[in-house]
Amino acid sequence: MSEARQTTIDTREIEHFSALAAEWWNPAGKMGVLHKFNPVRLAYIRDHVAAHFGREPHEAKPFAGLRMLDIGCGGGLLCEPMSRLGAQVVGADASETNIEVAKIHAAQGKLDIDYRATTAEALADAGETFDIILNMEVIEHVADVDLFLSKCGAMLKPGGLMFVATINRTLKAWGLAIIGAEYVLGWLPRGTHQYEKLVRPSELEEGLASAGIRIIDRSGVVYNPLGDRWQRSRDMDVNYMVAATKPAA
């Protein structure tokens, strides 16, 4: 099959998340776990961006002048704080329903975010480039991981940063992130994750390397039941994040 016919879009996944669109901004709803997850991933992004680009993380707009893509942005849970930090944000999602929800919420907050119902391959083929790309809880939902990473790599400027957050393909992850989170605790709707589509760190590293991107940091993320919060950890058996860069030419 030629690359022109390939796609990163999994129609089943798009339909699943489109049906949940109204829940994106309800912290007590079906996306509540993402609201609890947001602080740890926001801090991870902020700290690495500040260190990499020589910014002061506690300034009012530390990301000013940086163009950022949040691919698979959903309802905009990351786009909005990134915009408030000063980044020029493009939020892209294959679900038009999600994008409409994101646009409405951004307008309510008077935020200037460029939301688009589109795909990674469409953006890359149009020649779009970014200083920072966020791939947060997306890669396990695409149809072709290598194609997806290749297109993202093409959009990342030399010297830029890419963040990826996903779930490891381990029995521990199957028990906690799928059976536990979806079927026992009800943190996520059943069917949100499919075990065979989860991505091991070694597989992610290989895919990023093929796209010309090098991992510079790895971190596990675990749930602390006593504090009712997510926190960084050395344990990457279930949830994990990486920061990666495209070497400058």
Side-chain angles (χ1 to χ4, degrees), residues 25-86:
W25 288 97
N26 179 8
K30 295 178 180 178
M31 295 297 185
V33 68
L34 282 180
H35 287 266
K36 288 187 176 181
F37 201 67
N38 241 13
V40 69
R41 59 182 187 170
L42 286 172
Y44 187 75
I45 294 165
R46 181 200 62 209
D47 293 347
H48 277 284
V49 168
H52 188 79
F53 291 100
R55 306 298 178 90
E56 171 50 56
H58 300 296
E59 288 182 353
K61 302 284 185 180
F63 292 1
L66 296 174
R67 190 166 193 249
M68 176 183 290
L69 170 66
D70 184 3
I71 188 71
C73 66
L77 297 188
L78 280 174
C79 290
E80 293 201 6
M82 294 297 111
S83 178
R84 291 190 177 95
L85 289 171

Side-chain angles (χ1 to χ4, degrees), residues 40 218-222 231-237 239-241:
V40 69
R218 302 165 177 82
S219 177
V221 185
V222 299
Q231 61 191 38
R232 292 179 59 181
S233 168
R234 294 180 180 179
D235 183 354
M236 296 176 60
D237 289 348
N239 295 86
Y240 68 96
M241 303 183 291

Side-chain angles (χ1 to χ4, degrees), residues 107-244:
Q108 291 172 344
K110 296 181 172 56
L111 295 172
D112 183 15
I113 298 172
D114 183 2
Y115 282 118
R116 309 182 195 180
T118 188
T119 64
E121 56 267 33
L123 288 167
D125 294 348
E128 297 275 4
T129 59
F130 301 90
D131 299 292
I132 304 164
I133 297 179
L134 307 183
N135 284 316
M136 310 301 279
E137 291 77 44
V138 176
I139 197 170
E140 69 269 26
H141 300 294
V142 303
D144 187 327
V145 171
D146 289 336
L147 176 64
F148 179 72
L149 291 176
S150 173
K151 294 300 183 180
C152 288
M155 290 188 283
L156 189 64
K157 294 178 182 179
L161 278 180
M162 183 183 295
F163 296 89
V164 183
T166 189
I167 301 174
N168 202 343
R169 193 171 69 254
T170 62
L171 288 178
K172 184 176 176 181
W174 176 78
L176 294 177
I178 297 180
I179 300 302
E182 296 181 19
Y183 291 84
V184 178
L185 298 173
W187 283 356
L188 292 167
R190 294 184 180 186
T192 296
H193 295 105
Q194 301 169 61
Y195 178 76
E196 66 275 10
K197 295 186 72 172
L198 303 183
V199 182
R200 294 189 176 114
S202 59
E203 296 167 343
L204 176 59
E205 184 170 9
E206 289 175 5
L208 287 170
S210 296
I213 300 171
R214 176 176 56 87
I215 293 177
I216 57 176
D217 186 76
R218 302 165 177 82
S219 177
V221 185
V222 299
Y223 178 67
N224 178 346
L226 295 178
D228 188 25
R229 69 179 187 274
W230 292 86
Q231 61 191 38
R232 292 179 59 181
S233 168
R234 294 180 180 179
D235 183 354
M236 296 176 60
D237 289 348
V238 185
N239 295 86
Y240 68 96
M241 303 183 291
V242 305

